[in-house]
């Protein structure tokens, strides 16, 4: 069994409030066109700004279509030798809510299509996979799925891996974040002194990982994990967990800190995250590489975020762009380089 395979992102597809393909998403980012809108559908008498996918297709059908796009653009004929790894925060909650509010009863809810495995079940209605696995670690779900996919391919355990991040908006989700007091009524302003919260959003992001490099493939060099257990809702104020995660990723990739020339930040726009994450980045990267968050455009897509932002990072690499921090006016941390215009590398 090989333990030193190189791993590449060879194909990807997506759908979010800022676009239903990579070209549309890039155009939204470049033109600073946010997909975030004030919405009163989910919670009465509340006006959170959230990110809804504009597609006329159901979320389940759109999910299947995005996986079909992977087959269209990849060298694969099918997924029969592919490990499917799903990263999702709320799984099939949107299906359960649809039935509950339609019937005014929970009795017709199918538990098989409620939990995290619901995303896998939806995809298995159309495709056959070699095996499946699901991660539900809140907003790191598909990031952890990418990490696991990297590790099993590096060891030669599977031929290829399809990572799917998927979360639909639900009343429970929107209401939950409202109860935490972290939702903004306008597009988020990550790292700004006047930021007032995040924009919960739905999204689908599919990433194919292979050990054979293809045209326009981007190498996934390493991964890192941490869990500081500081709080169930707040990161450590000094960013200790984020620091450890980045340290482990660099060690895994055999890279030095000063070789990093762009950082795609989590940058949710909440008071706690941005302060903690900003400190972690500033403390580790003394050479001050550019840092940006695109969540003012896409919203925070929960369990989809890791896979979606991996695609955004690939777009930035392909186009040789440092992406701007849309809506940033006055940055909180003076030790970060936060470009407000897109820069050509």
């Amino acid at each position: 069994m090989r333990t030193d395979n190189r791993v590449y992102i060879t194909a990807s597809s997506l759908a979010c409030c800022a676009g239903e393909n990579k070209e549309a998403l890039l155009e939204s980012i470049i033109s600073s066109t946010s997909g975030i809108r004030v919405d009163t559908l989910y919670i009465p008498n509340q006006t959170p700004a959230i990110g809804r996918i504009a597609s006329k297709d159901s979320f389940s059908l759109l999910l299947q279509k995005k996986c079909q796009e992977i087959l269209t653009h990849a060298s694969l004929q099918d997924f029969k030798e592919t490990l499917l790894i799903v990263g999702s925060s709320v799984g099939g909650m949107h299906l359960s809510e649809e039935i509950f509010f339609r019937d005014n009863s929970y009795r017709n809810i199918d538990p098989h299509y409620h939990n995290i495995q619901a995303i896998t079940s939806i995809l298995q209605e159309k495709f056959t996979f070699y095996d499946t696995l699901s991660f539900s670690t809140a907003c790191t779900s598909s990031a952890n799925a990418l990490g696991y996919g990297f590790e099993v391919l590096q060891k030669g355990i599977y031929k290829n891996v399809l990572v799917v991040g998927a979360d639909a908006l639900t009343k429970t989700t929107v209401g939950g974040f409202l109860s935490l007091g972290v939702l903004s009524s306008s597009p988020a302003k990550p790292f700004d002194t006047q930021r007032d919260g995040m924009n919960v959003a739905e999204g689908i992001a599919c990433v194919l990982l292979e050990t054979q490099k293809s045209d326009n493939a981007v190498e996934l060099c390493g991964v890192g994990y941490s869990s500081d257990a500081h709080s169930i809702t707040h990161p450590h104020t000094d960013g200790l967990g984020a620091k450890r995660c980045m340290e482990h990723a660099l060690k895994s990739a055999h890279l030095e800190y000063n070789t990093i020339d762009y950082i795609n930040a989590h940058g949710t726009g909440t008071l706690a995250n941005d302060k903690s994450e900003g400190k972690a980045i500033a403390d580790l990267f003394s050479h001050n590489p550019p840092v940006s968050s695109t969540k003012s455009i896409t919203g925070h897509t929960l369990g989809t975020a890791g896979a979606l932002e991996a695609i955004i990072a690939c777009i930035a690499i392909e186009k040789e762009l440092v992406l701007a921090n849309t809506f940033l006016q006055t940055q909180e941390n003076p030790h970060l380089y936060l470009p407000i215009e897109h820069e050509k590398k």
Side-chain angles (χ1 to χ4, degrees):
M1 180 185 296
R2 292 182 61 88
T3 59
D4 59 350
N5 285 324
R6 298 176 74 171
V7 179
Y8 301 92
I9 296 174
T10 59
S12 61
S13 62
L14 64 91
C16 66
C17 65
E20 292 183 41
N21 54 60
K22 288 182 285 187
E23 293 74 21
L25 176 56
L26 176 61
E27 175 58 31
S28 293
I29 293 172
I30 294 299
S31 63
S32 299
T33 303
S34 177
I36 303 303
R37 302 287 184 274
V38 171
D39 194 288
T40 58
L41 174 66
Y42 290 93
I43 307 296
N45 304 316
Q46 297 290 334
T47 57
I50 62 177
R52 299 175 63 189
I53 298 173
S55 175
K56 295 180 180 179
D57 293 327
S58 68
F59 189 84
S60 298
L61 179 57
L62 187 60
L63 177 62
Q64 293 176 341
K65 284 184 174 181
K66 290 301 153 183
C67 285
Q68 182 61 51
E69 286 181 15
I70 295 292
L71 287 180
T72 301
H73 297 295
S75 58
L76 306 180
Q77 297 300 313
D78 53 50
F79 291 127
K80 291 181 179 179
E81 295 186 325
T82 300
L83 171 66
L84 169 66
I85 312 179
V86 168
S88 180
S89 185
V90 300
M93 192 180 292
H94 64 291
L95 299 173
S96 296
E97 279 197 1
E98 181 181 325
I99 294 170
F100 178 81
F101 288 108
R102 181 194 68 198
D103 301 346
N104 198 29
S105 170
Y106 66 89
R107 296 186 182 278
N108 292 326
I109 292 175
D110 183 350
H112 185 69
Y113 283 91
H114 176 78
N115 61 22
I116 301 306
Q117 282 292 115
I119 305 300
T120 295
S121 299
I122 292 168
L123 293 176
Q124 286 179 316
E125 292 174 359
K126 183 175 178 63
F127 306 103
T128 298
F129 297 94
Y130 182 82
D131 203 355
T132 66
L133 184 68
S134 297
F135 281 82
S136 185
T137 53
C139 305
T140 62
S141 298
S142 61
N144 282 328
L146 281 168
Y148 186 86
F150 169 84
E151 291 179 340
V152 296
L153 286 179
Q154 190 181 51
K155 294 177 174 64
I157 299 174
Y158 295 92
K159 290 189 175 181
N160 55 76
V161 171
L162 178 65
V163 172
V164 174
D167 267 323
L169 280 174
T170 69
K171 292 178 183 293
T172 304
T173 307
V174 177
F177 280 101
L178 272 171
S179 69
L180 289 172
V182 295
L183 290 191
S184 176
S185 58
S186 59
K189 298 192 292 184
F191 302 112
D192 196 288
T193 56
Q194 300 303 309
R195 66 187 185 280
D196 63 351
M198 59 175 272
N199 308 123
V200 64
E202 58 190 352
I204 297 168
C206 307
V207 177
L208 182 65
L209 302 179
E210 298 184 273
T211 56
Q212 297 298 315
K213 187 177 182 179
S214 61
D215 292 342
N216 300 318
V218 174
E219 185 172 4
L220 180 55
C221 298
V223 297
Y225 314 93
S226 69
S227 180
D228 59 25
H230 172 69
S231 165
I232 196 170
T233 57
H234 286 72
H236 194 284
T237 52
D238 288 334
L240 297 185
K243 287 180 186 177
R244 280 197 293 267
C245 187
M246 290 186 283
E247 287 169 343
H248 293 165
L250 289 169
K251 183 177 180 180
S252 170
H254 305 290
L255 293 173
E256 298 296 328
Y257 294 94
N258 60 8
T259 63
I260 302 303
D261 59 8
Y262 172 64
I263 297 174
N264 178 287
H266 189 46
T268 62
T270 63
L271 297 177
N273 176 85
D274 294 7
K275 184 174 183 178
S276 172
E277 184 182 12
K279 189 175 190 314
I281 293 172
D283 287 352
L284 284 180
F285 300 96
S286 58
H287 64 295
N288 205 18
V291 177
S292 65
S293 168
T294 52
K295 285 187 173 64
S296 57
I297 303 294
T298 66
H300 188 345
T301 54
L302 305 182
T304 311
L308 179 61
E309 305 226 5
I311 296 174
I312 292 172
C314 288
I315 293 172
I317 292 170
E318 179 186 350
K319 301 299 181 182
E320 298 183 332
L321 282 175
V322 170
L323 303 178
N325 291 275
T326 307
F327 307 139
L328 177 66
Q329 294 180 322
T330 306
Q331 70 181 68
E332 178 182 60
N333 191 326
H335 303 294
L336 294 177
Y337 175 29
L338 300 166
I340 58 174
E341 294 183 356
H342 304 295
E343 300 176 3
K344 193 72 174 176
K345 290 185 62 67

